[in-house]
């Protein structure tokens, strides 16, 4: 697949790039995508939730009332789950939600996600650019020039674009990540993918190695 390279002012340059068919034009595997997104979201969970059970809650162990002769049910500990302020039954406890996923599955999921974006014509290649300092207004001007302002965008940049990342950080629906950190969730979460021209080799190296 051949795409035109755009300048940051929105105009077309004289250059074109050919996307790797082994990455941007594969047979999409929806199940692999589901597994990888589940893997990413599970690894993000802190798992620090905790509840107090009867053995850990503080409270007196004396009987609340005499057990017989009242005409009602017996009432024992004030820590009983049936009493307001009592313990929780079968509540959550700290746990690790993360799980391992085969590298081939993760690679196939990313190939599939990028293929969907390519087939939907939601990938734009732009010339390399950098800012001398963080400039949110300048980054927004680029989005406006590409007719992407207000859309959910993901920019794949190289390691040297720290100021570009800082410029986009305060803009809603906008994310900038290193091409080497590409993952299935970020690709699918964005409406449009913007790829810096010099980031394409990083994508091919990272994905072909299965990292």
């Amino acid at each position: 697949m051949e795409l035109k390279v755009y300048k940051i002012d929105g105009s077309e340059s004289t250059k074109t790039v050919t996307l790797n068919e082994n990455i941007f034009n594969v047979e999409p595997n929806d199940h692999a995508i589901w597994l990888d997104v589940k893997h990413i979201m599970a690894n993000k969970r802190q798992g620090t939730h905790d509840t107090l059970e009867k053995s850990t809650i503080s409270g007196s162990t004396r009987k609340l009332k005499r057990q017989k002769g009242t005409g009602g049910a017996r009432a024992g500990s004030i820590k009983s789950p049936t009493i307001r302020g009592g313990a929780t039954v079968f509540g959550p406890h700290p746990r690790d939600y993360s799980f391992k996923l085969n590298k081939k599955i993760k690679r196939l999921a990313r190939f599939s996600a990028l293929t969907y974006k390519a087939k939907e014509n939601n990938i734009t290649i732009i010339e390399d650019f950098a800012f001398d300092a963080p400039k949110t207004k300048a980054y927004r001007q680029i989005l406006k020039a590409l007719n992407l302002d207000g859309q959910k965008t993901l920019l794949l940049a190289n390691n040297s674009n720290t100021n570009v990342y800082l410029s986009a950080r305060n803009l809603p629906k906008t994310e900038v990540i290193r091409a080497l950190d590409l993952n299935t969730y970020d690709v699918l979460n964005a409406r449009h993918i913007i790829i810096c021209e010099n980031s394409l080799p990083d994508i091919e190296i990272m994905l072909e190695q299965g990292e």
Side-chain angles (χ1 to χ4, degrees):
M1 178 181 292
E2 190 173 82
L3 293 179
K4 296 179 180 179
V5 179
Y6 289 85
K7 300 179 181 179
I8 60 174
D9 62 2
S11 61
E12 295 181 5
S13 70
T14 57
K15 296 180 290 183
T16 61
V17 296
T18 302
L19 298 181
N20 191 327
E21 295 287 322
N22 296 324
I23 297 176
F24 295 91
N25 190 24
V26 302
E27 183 65 32
N29 189 308
D30 292 342
H31 186 61
I33 291 176
W34 178 81
L35 285 173
D36 196 25
V37 171
K38 180 182 178 182
H39 171 257
I40 293 169
M41 299 306 291
N43 289 351
K44 286 183 177 182
R45 297 188 68 173
Q46 291 184 338
T48 54
H49 41 45
D50 199 8
T51 51
L52 295 175
E53 293 187 341
K54 200 170 182 179
S55 62
T56 54
I57 195 171
S58 60
S60 174
T61 58
R62 71 178 181 84
K63 302 298 183 186
L64 298 180
K65 61 181 181 180
R66 61 195 186 96
Q67 301 295 283
K68 295 182 179 181
T70 62
R74 301 181 184 184
S77 172
I78 198 172
K79 298 188 288 184
S80 171
T82 61
I83 296 177
R84 182 180 178 86
T88 300
V89 181
F90 304 128
H93 294 291
R95 56 166 292 194
D96 183 10
Y97 286 92
S98 64
F99 63 92
K100 292 183 179 180
L101 190 63
N102 191 296
K103 283 186 178 181
K104 290 183 178 179
I105 298 295
K106 292 194 288 186
R107 183 170 58 178
L108 177 59
R110 282 177 277 189
F111 288 173
S112 300
L114 289 171
T115 295
Y116 275 128
K117 292 299 180 184
K119 288 183 176 180
E120 295 167 356
N121 295 320
N122 283 331
I123 294 180
T124 298
I125 310 296
I126 62 172
E127 289 184 337
D128 306 335
F129 69 97
F131 296 147
D132 296 332
K135 300 175 183 177
T136 301
K137 184 181 292 186
Y139 186 78
R140 188 162 194 177
Q141 287 297 327
I142 295 175
L143 294 179
K144 288 181 178 180
L146 297 172
N147 295 320
L148 296 175
D149 188 32
Q151 294 190 34
K152 220 170 189 179
T153 59
L154 171 66
L155 173 69
L156 301 180
N158 66 354
N159 296 333
S160 61
N161 276 333
T162 303
N163 286 330
V164 175
Y165 164 76
L166 295 174
S167 300
R169 188 169 55 177
N170 290 332
L171 291 175
K173 300 182 180 181
T174 302
E175 188 171 2
V176 176
I177 63 172
R178 298 190 313 158
L180 292 173
D181 296 330
L182 173 68
N183 66 75
T184 305
Y185 177 81
D186 286 337
V187 172
L188 295 178
N189 191 44
R191 176 71 177 84
H192 201 95
I193 308 298
I194 307 170
I195 304 177
C196 290
E197 186 181 2
N198 64 346
S199 298
L200 285 171
D202 290 341
I203 296 175
E204 294 184 2
I205 292 172
M206 186 267 297
L207 292 178
E208 290 182 350
Q209 290 179 347
E211 295 298 329

